[in-house]
Each structure stands twice: as C-alpha cells, then as structure tokens.
C-alpha cells in the first residue's frame, strides 16, 4: 500500500465512521481503520494502520473447494452480505472501485483462533531471515475462523457521485472504465457480477489478455461475445468507443470469440439472492466457515509429505449413506461376501461373533476386483434383536442403490431384509483432533460413549462410534441414529460445504467443519474412499491399500473374490498402490487438482515409456494417484534384485485436460502440464515392511 492509498484509507474510514448507521446492518460488514501511527526505521518513516483481525481472502477460500468454486447456498449468503455492505457504502456516497475476491475477507467472531497462533509462536517460532538492517518473518497460515464476509481495502475508494479516471483491477473493469467515460457507484455492481461468477465457476469470466498483456480490445470483444452489442446510447457518451465501433454501432474490430459457460444457473441464483437481500432490513448474518489449505509449492519437497491443515474438526459426511441389512441370516450372508471376518476366532461348531462396534471391509467381484469399500456397524437400534441380526453398511451415497441391488441379487433364499436408509434415519460423521495422538483418553472417551433418547419406547443407543482403522490418527466415525424416522421419511440433503450440526454427546467434540476438510485430511493420509478413488470393478484390494488398512482378513475362509486376493498376498508382487500426491508448478500459486481429469496418465519428465501412474482425485493442490512404486517412490518391491527405478531428483508430470463438466477445466488448460510428487505415508511404509519380514 502506497502512502497515498494509506491516507485515502484513513480518510474514507473516518468519513464512514462519522455516518450514523442506525438500522443499517451494512456498516458492520466494512473493515475500517481503527487507528493509525508512524514508525521510524532504517528505510525512513512508515505509516501503520490498525484494523480488526479478519480471516483469509475469498480468493484463497475459494481454492479450498473442489473445482475451486463455492457451494451455491454459501455463495448466495456471501452475496447478500456483499450487497448489504455496498448498499451502505453507496448510500454514504462512496464508490469502492476495487472490489474483488482479494478484498473480500472472512470474519472472526472470537479471538481463540489468534490465541492458538500466539501459543504456536511461543512454542515454535516461525522461520525468519536476518538482514543487515531488518528481520523478515515468515507469515503463519490462518487457522479456522468463523464470521461473515467483510469488504476491505478502501485505498482506492472515491467519495462523491460522479467521477472520471482509470480505476478497478484489470479483469474486473466495467465498460465505462475501459471506454474512458464518466462513472459512478454502478461500477461496483459490475464488479460484484464478475466476482460472483469467478467464485462460483472457479475460473475467470473475462481474461482480457492478448499476448500475455492486458488488452482493452480483447476485453470488449469478450464482453460482446458473452452479452451482445452494447446500446448505442452508451457508445455515444465515449470518444474512445470510436476506436472499436462505427457510427451505426457496428463492430470495426475482429472479435476473438471464445466459449463461455452457460449463464442460466448463475442468473437464477444471483437474481433471487439479490431480491431476498434487498427485501430484508436486518437479515441474520450467516456464519461462514474458514478453513485452510497447504500453500501451493513452487518446488517439490524431497523428504516430507504436505502439512496437515485443520488439526481438529467434526464433519457430516453427506457423501456417505447407510444400508440396513437385518434378519436371522444377515451375518451368515455377509460372512460369505465381504473381505473382513465376522467370526475371527478359531474354527469351532459354534463360532463366536466379533463384538466390536464396527469394522472396515470391502465387497469384491468374483475376479477379485473392488466393488465397494464399506464400514460395517452393529445396528443397535432394536435391543431385542440377537447379536448378528442387524447391521448397517456405510457406502458412497452415489453407490448405495447399486450395492443394495447387488445384495438383493445374491440374497437367494436367505432370510433378511435390505434397504437404503434415508438421511433422516441415520447420518454419518467423522471427527478428528491431532491432540488425541498425545491424549488417547480423550479419543477413548468419545469411542466409548453412547447416548440415550428421552423416549422410553425408543432404542437405548442412538450414537455409534468407531475409531477409523484405516490409518493412524485419521479420526473416529460417528453414526447418529434417529429411531423416530421410518423408511417413508422425507429425504434431506446436506451440502458438503456446510458445517456439521451438534451431536448429542456429553463429551466435548471438535468444532464443526465442512466435509471438504475431511476429504483433504484423507488425501494427506493417503486413504482412498469410494468408487472414484477405488474404481469399481477395476481396482485390486492391494492397489487401494485395503490390505494395509485392515479391510481384508487373510486367515478367513471362502468369500467372493478370495482366490485372487489370497494369491496376490502370498505370491504376487503389487507394483501399483494409491499414494498421496502434491501438484506444483514453478513460479505459480494456485489450486489445480480439479483441473486434472480422472485417470489422467502420469509421465516422467525427459523419459518416454509406460505410464508411471494415473491421477484419481484431489482438491487444492493435493490428491490421490495410483502410482508405480518402483518408478515414483524409493520402495523396493519384494524379490526385485535390480533395486528401484526411481532416482532422487526424478520429476513427474500430469496433463491438465479440458475435462468433463464438473472437473474444473478452464479455457486454455488443454495440453498444459503440472508436476506431481508422490509420497509414501509412514503407516503404509511400515505395513509394507512388516509384509517383507513375514
């Protein structure tokens, strides 16, 4: 910020503070200067401005989401807040002129997040560089905070009704600015429209560049390509317009037309949100959840996996659904079709059923390929049922009906019922806290907790807890059962970007977070889940690390797909496994996982030959890929005498494709590549070493 911008920030803040905002909630959505002072230093006098603490910008916030786009409901709520803030600003006669996701910040409602930063700084001071005349400190990443969207940065704001001159950031410039016309507060509304598109679509509405430089002609051409010719009355007000249009408002330039995304959905939810916002005098400010991601690296780290963001959280998993399997033959049927063992003890005429609350397993094809990975829980909703009578199967929401049909198809005459539960009947959550690693009693208190309902006719237990067995410190699964619901309950949906509601537990739980943070945690631990990452009827259990995650009991007797699975375990060589990966490109900062098409091939830089692996799915700049161990890692395969083909310094790339709809593709991404670095998690490395010792 220049001294002129700093002085303007102070002047506009003092002007806005002097205005009585009684009855208008928009004033509290503006970040104004609280105080100012000066500091003398080796480089001269420095102006310092004091602001209330806020969270990260919406540019970074957007990059946390799959495809780099905000959820529709979340964006509608954000738009309401932005319009409220602008309404107060414009009524006060102030034009912001610089509105963009960079100048829209997440709010903070309490200081606990910053107290954690203070504690970390005392215990683990951040990196710093000491120069001859000053010390440069590395900034810490923002922790999770809660609060409404807030408009900031009034360094370029203007007071008054009509203005002239060049303002606004490049791709957000309104036509009046490009054409050198007189302008007013309407240019802020133009910025809102462009900004909302960028936040929702995960890419630019306008690029406005030719040969890498900002170009007015290109910018206008893109506007015309999207919206059609401008009104003749608008062009008559601009001398500069004659460079691009003739007297009849016909184009004199060559339009560089490009494909743009359909605006239908954008228009519908934007207009409805605007109307709802303007109709309310004092709307309740929605709580927006802020979560963090790993900074996009300019180079690949050599020895350490990406940092783990969000050390604690409770996420409702709308991506997971429960299937009820209940009846006298339920346990017998499941024993013959899943990879885990319901009767883990020694063979006997009366085998003992396992007594734990749940476990991880998989359904396989007859050829030993993964159909579904599942958690299986004891269904405790009806205490009158004998052990093994009722079970709950947790599976991908998109695959729930497919698994139900699969079970029915091979049920034959077995006596049990199977049906997919509505979300109103049971919901799936995942909780984690890195502090549990050093305080296992806290985890145990949750894992051993059950709750009772106030209705005496209802089952005794409506919470099921299960420490996630797939990877150490991954967290704990929680099922919230609602026995009052029936199969006729109305199905409800929960956005993956909404925070989880509270659970009826007497013990403290981590703070609610969006489901996206759970998936990010999985990726960083190297844990695949669902059929997008364990491709149905294609992935082998060993390739998906199901053998290392406790899903397969190799001492168990016959089950569907057992023959190939056992042979692979004892005689085969597993050359490919799912690993966590980091995407990076020198000199750039951004989230590109959504731009990599599913199953995109991974190649080694400077070498030709067979693929080194294939990309599966990710978010931000991390994700999962099926990697050839001898090519992308230092793992030496069993029985291999020539060592690994991997060398320190090897680099790998994956192509950013145009992608299918929803894959986050952007114009111009086809054929571009991004580098990819695979990591072997400690838990997987230990599991592979244990296999070698047997």
């Amino acid at each position: 910020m220049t001294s002129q911008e700093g002085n303007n920030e102070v002047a506009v803040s003092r002007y806005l503070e002097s205005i009585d905002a009684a009855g208008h909630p928009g004033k509290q959505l503006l970040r104004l200067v609280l105080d100012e002072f000066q500091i003398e230093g080796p480089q001269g006098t420095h102006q310092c401005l004091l602001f209330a603490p806020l969270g990260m910008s919406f540019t970074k916030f957007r990059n946390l989401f799959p495809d780099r786009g905000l959820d529709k409901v979340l964006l509608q709520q954000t738009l309401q807040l932005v319009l409220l803030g602008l309404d107060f600003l414009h009524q006060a006669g102030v034009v912001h002129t610089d509105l963009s996701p960079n100048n829209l910040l997440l709010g903070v409602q309490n200081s606990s997040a910053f107290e954690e930063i203070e504690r970390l700084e005392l215990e683990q001071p951040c990196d710093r560089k000491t120069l001859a005349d000053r010390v440069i400190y590395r900034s810490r990443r923002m922790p999770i905070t809660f609060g409404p969207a807030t408009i900031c940065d009034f360094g370029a704001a203007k007071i008054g009704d009509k203005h002239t001159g060049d303002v606004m950031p490049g791709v957000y410039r309104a036509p009046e600015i490009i054409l050198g016309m007189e302008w007013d507060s309407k240019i802020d509304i133009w910025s809102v429209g462009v900004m909302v598109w960028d936040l929702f679509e995960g890419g630019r509405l306008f690029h406005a560049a030719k040969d890498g430089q900002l170009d007015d002609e290109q910018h206008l051409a893109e506007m015309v390509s999207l919206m059609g010719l401008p009104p003749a009355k608008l062009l008559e007000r601009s001398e500069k317009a004659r460079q691009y249009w003739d007297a009849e408002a016909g184009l004199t330039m060559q339009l560089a037309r490009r494909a743009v995304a359909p605006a239908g959905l954008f228009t519908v939810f934007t207009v409805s949100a605007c109307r709802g916002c303007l109709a309310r005098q004092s709307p309740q400010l929605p709580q927006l959840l802020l979560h963090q991601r790993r900074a996009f690296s300019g180079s690949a780290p050599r020895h350490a996996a990406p940092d783990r963001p969000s050390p604690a959280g409770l996420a409702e998993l709308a991506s997971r659904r429960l299937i009820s399997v209940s009846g006298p033959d339920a346990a017998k049927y499941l024993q013959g079709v899943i990879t885990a063992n319901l009767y883990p003890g020694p063979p006997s005429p009366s085998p003992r059923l396992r007594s734990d609350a749940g476990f991880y397993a998989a359904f396989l094809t007859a050829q030993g390929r993964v159909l579904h990975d599942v958690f299986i829980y004891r269904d405790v909703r009806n205490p009158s049922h004998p052990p093994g009578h009722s079970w709950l199967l947790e599976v991908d929401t998109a695959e729930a009906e497919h698994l139900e049909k699969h079970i029915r198809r091979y049920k034959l005459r077995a006596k049990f019922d199977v049906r997919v539960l509505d979300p109103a009947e049971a919901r799936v959550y995942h909780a984690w806290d890195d502090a549990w690693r050093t305080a296992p009693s806290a985890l145990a208190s949750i894992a051993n907790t059950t709750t009772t309902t106030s209705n005496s006719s209802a089952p005794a237990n409506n919470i099921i807890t299960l420490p996630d067995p797939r990877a150490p410190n991954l967290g704990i699964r929680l099922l919230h059962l609602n026995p009052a619901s029936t199969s006729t309950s109305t199905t409800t949906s929960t956005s993956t970007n909404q925070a989880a509601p509270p659970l009826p537990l007497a013990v403290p739980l981590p703070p609610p977070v969006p489901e996206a943070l759970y998936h990010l945690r999985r990726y960083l631990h190297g844990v695949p889940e669902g059929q997008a990452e364990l491709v149905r009827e294609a992935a082998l259990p060993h390739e998906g690390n199901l053998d290392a995650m406790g899903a397969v009991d190799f001492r168990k007797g016959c089950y569907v797909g057992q023959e190939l699975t056992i042979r692979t375990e004892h005689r085969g060589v597993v050359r490919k496994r799912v690993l966590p990966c980091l995407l990076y490109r020198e000199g750039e900062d951004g989230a590109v996982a959504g731009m990599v098409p599913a199953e995109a091939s991974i190649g080694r830089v400077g070498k030709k030959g067979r693929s080194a692996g294939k990309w599966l799915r990710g978010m931000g700049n991390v994700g999962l890929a099926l990697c050839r161990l001898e090519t992308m890692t230092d793992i030496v395969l069993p029985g291999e005498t020539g060592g690994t083909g991997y060398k320190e310094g090897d680099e790998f790339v994956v192509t950013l494709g145009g992608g299918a709809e929803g894959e986050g593709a952007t114009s111009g991404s086809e054929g571009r590549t991004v580098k990819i670095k695979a990591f072997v998690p400690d838990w997987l490395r230990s599991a592979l070493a244990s296999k070698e010792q047997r």
Side-chain angles (χ1 to χ4, degrees):
M1 178 181 290
T2 65
S3 59
Q4 180 179 354
E5 291 173 338
N7 293 333
N8 195 70
E9 181 99 29
V10 173
V12 172
S13 292
R14 288 176 176 172
Y15 169 71
L16 292 173
E17 281 289 1
S18 67
I19 297 175
D20 183 10
H24 200 303
K27 186 175 182 178
Q28 63 181 306
L29 300 174
L30 309 178
R31 187 189 71 169
L32 304 180
V33 176
L34 301 178
D35 199 359
E36 63 167 327
F37 56 92
Q38 293 183 335
I39 292 180
E40 296 292 337
Q43 305 298 323
T45 302
H46 302 273
Q47 182 184 32
C48 299
L49 306 182
L50 180 65
F51 297 97
L54 291 174
M56 68 169 64
S57 72
F58 266 71
T59 299
K60 294 183 178 180
F61 184 49
R62 172 196 66 185
N63 291 340
L64 299 173
F65 293 84
D67 302 328
R68 301 177 66 206
L70 297 188
D71 168 75
K72 171 185 170 182
V73 175
L74 179 61
L75 185 56
Q76 286 179 327
Q77 295 172 341
T78 302
L79 179 58
Q80 292 179 16
L81 302 178
V82 172
L83 291 176
L84 278 172
L86 285 180
D87 185 60
F88 171 78
L89 203 64
H90 293 168
Q91 287 190 36
V94 176
V95 187
H96 188 281
T97 79
D98 194 18
L99 196 62
S100 73
N102 289 331
N103 291 331
L104 190 63
L105 306 183
L106 267 293
V108 176
Q109 291 188 322
N110 60 68
S111 61
S112 60
F114 302 106
E115 292 171 357
E116 177 67 11
I117 292 179
E118 293 176 0
R119 183 188 66 80
L120 290 174
E121 185 62 26
L122 289 173
E123 297 177 358
Q124 301 175 351
C126 62
D127 297 337
R128 64 201 64 192
K129 179 191 293 184
T130 302
L131 303 179
D133 57 346
R134 65 189 184 278
V135 178
I136 301 175
Y137 295 87
R138 184 176 184 178
S139 299
R140 289 188 179 274
R141 287 174 295 174
M142 286 297 299
I144 296 175
T145 62
F146 298 85
T150 303
I151 299 172
C152 70
D153 193 353
F154 295 94
K158 302 293 183 181
I159 300 176
D161 294 331
K162 299 293 183 179
H163 307 273
T164 58
D166 192 12
V167 292
M168 307 182 74
V171 296
Y172 287 88
R173 290 181 303 160
E176 300 98 307
I177 305 301
I178 299 175
L179 296 174
M181 301 165 59
E182 187 179 62
W183 49 266
D184 56 20
S185 61
K186 294 183 181 66
I187 66 171
D188 284 343
I189 304 303
W190 175 275
S191 292
V192 170
V194 180
M195 178 178 68
V196 170
W197 177 279
D198 289 356
L199 291 175
F200 186 68
E201 291 293 332
R204 297 292 192 194
L205 178 60
F206 302 118
H207 292 267
K210 183 182 293 184
D211 298 327
Q213 301 294 323
L214 191 67
D215 186 271
D216 289 345
E217 180 179 288
Q218 177 68 22
H219 202 167
L220 291 170
E222 292 174 4
M223 291 180 183
V224 173
S225 176
L226 180 66
M227 298 178 291
L229 292 172
K233 291 184 178 180
L234 176 69
L235 301 181
E236 291 172 358
R237 294 163 46 198
S238 169
E239 290 291 329
K240 191 176 179 180
R242 297 177 183 177
Q243 299 178 29
Y244 311 111
W245 287 275
D246 58 26
E248 285 74 35
L251 290 176
T252 62
M253 61 180 175
Q254 294 294 322
L255 284 184
R257 292 185 175 270
R258 63 181 180 86
V260 293
L265 179 60
F266 166 81
T267 302
V268 170
F269 82 74
T270 302
V271 171
S272 63
C274 289
R275 288 175 178 170
C277 173
L278 298 177
R280 289 187 285 273
Q281 294 297 322
S282 56
Q284 181 180 2
L285 300 181
Q287 305 305 307
L288 301 181
L289 179 69
L290 171 63
H291 51 92
Q292 65 187 101
R293 67 174 174 88
R294 173 179 168 82
F296 196 94
S297 300
S299 59
R302 294 295 182 190
H303 303 293
D307 295 337
R308 295 186 304 272
S310 183
L314 171 67
E316 181 178 356
L317 307 186
S319 63
R320 305 291 285 180
R321 197 78 172 268
L322 291 173
I323 299 175
S324 170
V325 177
S326 180
D329 295 338
K332 180 180 178 181
Y333 171 83
L334 290 175
Q335 177 71 354
V337 295
I338 63 173
T339 55
N341 198 346
L342 288 176
Y343 302 94
S348 69
S350 300
R352 180 175 297 180
L353 189 71
R354 63 190 303 161
S355 59
D356 47 357
F359 52 93
Y360 183 55
F363 286 78
L364 306 181
T365 66
Q367 294 76 31
R369 306 283 176 167
V370 176
L371 270 177
H372 305 278
D373 66 311
V374 295
F375 282 93
I376 300 180
Y377 310 88
R378 289 175 172 274
D379 189 349
V380 296
R381 292 177 296 172
N382 194 331
S384 65
H385 287 167
H389 184 280
S390 301
W391 303 88
L392 295 173
L393 279 57
E394 178 200 320
V395 68
D396 249 17
T397 297
E399 297 290 333
E401 292 185 0
H402 183 276
L403 179 55
E404 180 193 25
K405 292 178 181 178
H406 176 79
I407 294 174
R408 289 185 183 279
R409 182 179 303 158
Y410 297 102
K411 173 186 173 185
L412 301 179
R413 296 184 179 181
K415 297 178 181 178
F416 64 85
D417 296 321
V418 55
R419 68 181 181 90
V420 179
L421 299 186
D422 288 332
E425 296 179 80
R427 295 182 181 273
V428 183
Y429 297 80
H430 191 91
W432 68 91
D433 191 334
D434 287 343
W436 291 342
R437 185 179 309 177
T438 56
S441 59
L443 174 61
S445 66
I446 297 177
N448 296 328
T449 297
T450 58
T451 61
T452 58
T453 61
S454 58
N455 184 354
S456 59
S457 64
N461 300 326
N462 66 351
I463 293 289
I464 298 176
T465 60
L466 174 67
D468 197 322
R470 295 175 294 179
N473 306 308
L474 185 57
I476 186 171
R477 267 306 203 265
L478 300 98
L479 301 190
H480 187 192
L481 308 179
N482 184 355
S485 299
T486 66
S487 60
T488 59
S489 300
T490 301
T491 300
T492 59
S493 62
T494 302
S495 167
T496 59
N497 297 321
Q498 299 297 314
L503 290 173
L505 284 174
V507 296
L509 287 171
V513 298
E515 182 178 353
L517 282 188
Y518 159 72
H519 294 300
L520 182 58
R521 186 174 181 85
R522 279 198 305 104
Y523 295 154
L524 294 177
H525 279 75
V527 174
E529 180 178 276
Q531 277 50 69
E533 298 159 18
L534 296 166
V535 182
R536 181 155 56 92
E537 300 186 44
L540 292 172
H542 288 74
E543 291 178 344
N545 302 324
L546 269 63
D547 58 324
M549 295 191 296
V552 184
D553 188 333
F554 294 104
R555 297 169 298 178
K556 179 185 174 182
C558 183
Y559 59 88
V560 176
Q562 179 205 26
E563 182 179 354
L564 179 61
T565 304
I566 291 293
R567 189 188 314 138
T568 302
E569 173 70 9
H570 295 293
R571 302 182 62 181
V573 176
V574 181
R575 298 186 177 276
K576 296 180 291 183
R577 285 188 180 268
V578 174
L579 299 177
C581 293
L582 171 69
L583 300 172
Y584 65 100
R585 187 189 290 126
E586 279 80 356
E588 293 191 16
D589 182 18
V592 296
M595 298 168 62
V596 182
E599 301 193 45
S601 180
I602 300 172
R604 182 153 40 179
V605 175
K607 294 185 180 181
K608 295 183 179 180
R610 64 182 178 183
S611 170
K614 63 180 180 181
W615 176 259
L616 296 173
R617 191 162 65 169
M619 62 189 303
N621 65 322
V622 296
L624 299 176
L626 183 62
C627 304
R628 287 192 175 275
L629 298 179
E630 75 273 21
T631 304
M632 297 188 69
T633 76
D634 60 354
I635 296 294
V636 178
L637 299 178
E640 299 286 321
T641 58
T644 176
Y646 171 78
K647 296 180 181 179
E648 184 74 14
D650 281 353
E651 291 187 313
F652 302 87
V653 294
V654 63
T655 300
L656 303 180
E661 183 178 356
E663 289 295 331
T666 58
S667 177
S669 65
E670 297 84 349
R672 297 172 58 200
T673 60
V674 62
K675 292 182 179 179
I676 182 170
K677 173 74 174 178
F679 299 88
V680 182
D682 290 341
W683 64 267
L684 180 57
R685 192 179 291 272
S686 298
L688 297 180
S690 298
K691 286 176 177 286
E692 278 292 286
Q693 295 172 3
R694 291 203 299 265

